[in-house]
Amino acid sequence: MASLTDLINLDLSDSTDKFIAEYIWIDAVGGLRSKARTLSGPNNDPTQLPKWNYDGSSTGQAPGKDSEVILYPQAIFKDPFRRGSHILVMCDTYTPAGEPIPTNKRCNAAKIFSHPDVAAEVPWFGIEQEYTLLQKEVKWPLGWPTGGFPGPQGPYYCSIGADKAFGRDIVDAHYKACLYAGINISGINGEVMPGQWEFQVGPAVGISAGDELWVARYILERITEIAGVVVSLDPKPIPGDWNGAGAHTNYSTESMRNEGGFELIKKAIGKLEIKHTQHIAAYGEGNERRLTGRHETASMHKFSWGVANRGASVRVGRDTEKEGKGYFEDRRPASNMDPYVVTSMIAETTLL
């Protein structure tokens, strides 16, 4: 008799040409929702997939008397959970009349990235997503004594060992699942606070950086669901002398990557400084608890930049300075930031 595991892993390819598409979208508070449907035919072009709808009154995105929200497929990834020909579909959200709803940040980002002046510069992004794994029942970091604290920070960053690294099976499962899905995940590491980890997505061009990071977050949520662990994107999950969680965003344009690019990088940083207040306001909820000037952050109240300075708002790498070209890192975004907002805002401020 078949077990539940056998049925979950059932290969459908020899019995049907249909496949399962998991439609993913962002809700009113920046959480992820999804639901599945059966499709047939081509499955590698989002424009060939049907639009769908959901009850927006149940996600805080529409009133009950007019609750229908329309999902527009925008990007396709292989499904590491169902595997085979099944797919994950990143969608954005519209009214039945075709207007983006207020929580649809992808639509405006796509307009910015399709602007000729932006597209010509082929903007690259690499996003460092930090997150904290929490024990499900008590919402306390994984590996920490219940209601208590581990030893002070120092031995946990990039650590190994059962007394220092907590949740590596989840982290490695996520790493491989993202690679399987087609996400350009470029690395992982343990972070400074125990129970906290980081993965990096990129380099990715333009709007694809947001698509890939959102789907990587979705995969992480699904894996922690299986493991019975909670993932937190709170920028300061534990008050006190513990590092917060950010989403450092590395950025370059084609001109910055070519000879003389360092001068253009400095000009771009100058533009970011002028709009520092606007960027801070859009860089994540609760970021004021993280950007204090301590724990490898700059104060949110003052813009700064420097070479190899992890206490600055924007950091330029030694290699970029030495070679006279390359990229820079905006260290201000919080772990819970919307990558569509942050990447398009950086591109708009520096290029338009």
Side-chain angles (χ1 to χ4, degrees):
M1 183 176 177
S3 69
L4 184 60
T5 300
D6 290 334
L7 294 172
I8 290 172
N9 295 326
L10 195 62
D11 183 0
L12 304 179
S13 60
D14 59 352
S15 59
T16 179
D17 64 351
K18 291 181 168 59
F19 62 92
I20 301 170
E22 189 78 26
Y23 279 47
I24 303 166
W25 71 95
I26 302 161
D27 67 16
V29 295
L32 287 161
R33 309 282 181 123
S34 75
K35 61 177 184 172
R37 66 184 299 176
T38 305
L39 298 174
S40 58
N43 66 354
N44 58 359
D45 181 354
T47 65
Q48 299 302 307
L49 298 179
K51 295 171 184 174
W52 205 9
N53 64 76
Y54 66 93
D55 171 16
S57 68
S58 296
T59 63
Q61 294 172 296
K65 62 183 180 180
D66 186 14
S67 64
E68 193 167 280
V69 178
I70 312 301
L71 293 168
Y72 284 33
Q74 298 292 358
I76 292 174
F77 300 85
K78 292 171 65 178
D79 186 339
F81 303 102
R82 296 187 176 105
R83 291 174 285 186
S85 60
H86 310 302
I87 57 175
L88 305 176
V89 185
M90 190 65 210
C91 304
D92 61 353
T93 45
Y94 296 81
T95 67
E99 295 295 321
I101 67 172
T103 54
N104 179 353
K105 306 304 182 185
R106 190 188 190 281
C107 182
N108 184 64
K111 289 177 183 177
I112 292 170
F113 285 120
S114 63
H115 190 289
D117 292 347
V118 176
E121 281 290 349
V122 196
W124 287 3
F125 295 94
I127 303 174
E128 305 170 28
Q129 177 69 71
E130 296 177 342
Y131 60 94
T132 308
L133 297 174
L134 304 178
Q135 301 167 56
K136 180 182 174 183
E137 303 302 329
V138 294
K139 300 294 193 296
W140 198 239
L142 202 66
W144 290 37
T146 302
F149 296 87
Q153 294 182 154
Y156 308 107
Y157 173 69
C158 296
S159 65
I160 57 171
D163 58 341
K164 294 183 286 293
F166 312 115
R168 190 183 298 276
D169 52 347
I170 293 169
V171 174
D172 275 353
H174 176 251
Y175 196 175
K176 288 186 176 180
C178 285
L179 287 171
Y180 178 93
I183 293 166
N184 190 24
I185 183 169
S186 49
I188 59 168
N189 60 267
E191 266 305 326
V192 177
M193 189 181 87
Q196 197 172 82
W197 295 81
E198 175 187 298
F199 66 88
Q200 303 94 33
V201 167
V205 178
I207 197 72
S208 65
D211 291 336
E212 292 189 26
L213 189 70
W214 273 117
V215 175
R217 285 175 173 177
Y218 173 84
I219 292 171
L220 181 59
E221 288 265 17
R222 287 282 304 274
I223 289 172
T224 52
E225 173 189 321
I226 294 166
V229 170
V230 174
V231 59
S232 170
L233 297 184
D234 190 291
K236 187 72 174 180
I238 304 296
D241 196 18
W242 303 97
N243 273 34
H248 303 154
T249 301
N250 299 276
Y251 170 67
S252 71
T253 64
E254 188 168 45
S255 297
M256 293 174 190
R257 296 187 291 270
N258 291 331
E259 293 302 320
F262 191 30
E263 291 305 311
L264 296 175
I265 287 172
K266 288 188 282 189
K267 289 179 181 178
I269 292 172
K271 293 177 181 179
L272 290 175
E273 181 173 12
I274 292 169
K275 293 200 171 183
H276 176 64
T277 302
Q278 294 96 313
H279 280 251
I280 286 292
Y283 273 16
E285 294 294 324
N287 210 11
E288 71 282 353
R289 292 183 282 115
R290 168 180 162 262
L291 294 182
T292 62
R294 300 185 63 214
H295 304 109
E296 298 183 281
T297 71
S299 169
M300 66 181 292
H301 302 295
K302 181 176 174 57
F303 183 90
S304 60
W305 78 276
V307 176
N309 184 357
R310 283 182 162 78
S313 308
V314 170
R315 181 184 69 87
V316 175
R318 289 283 182 206
D319 287 346
T320 295
E321 180 189 45
K322 181 180 178 181
E323 296 176 12
K325 59 184 179 181
Y327 70 95
F328 65 84
E329 174 192 45
D330 191 338
R331 296 180 60 81
R332 297 171 295 172
S335 51
N336 59 5
M337 63 81 157
D338 186 329
Y340 294 136
V341 173
V342 168
T343 58
S344 63
M345 201 172 191
I346 291 172
E348 183 177 37
T349 295
T350 59
L351 294 174
L352 296 181

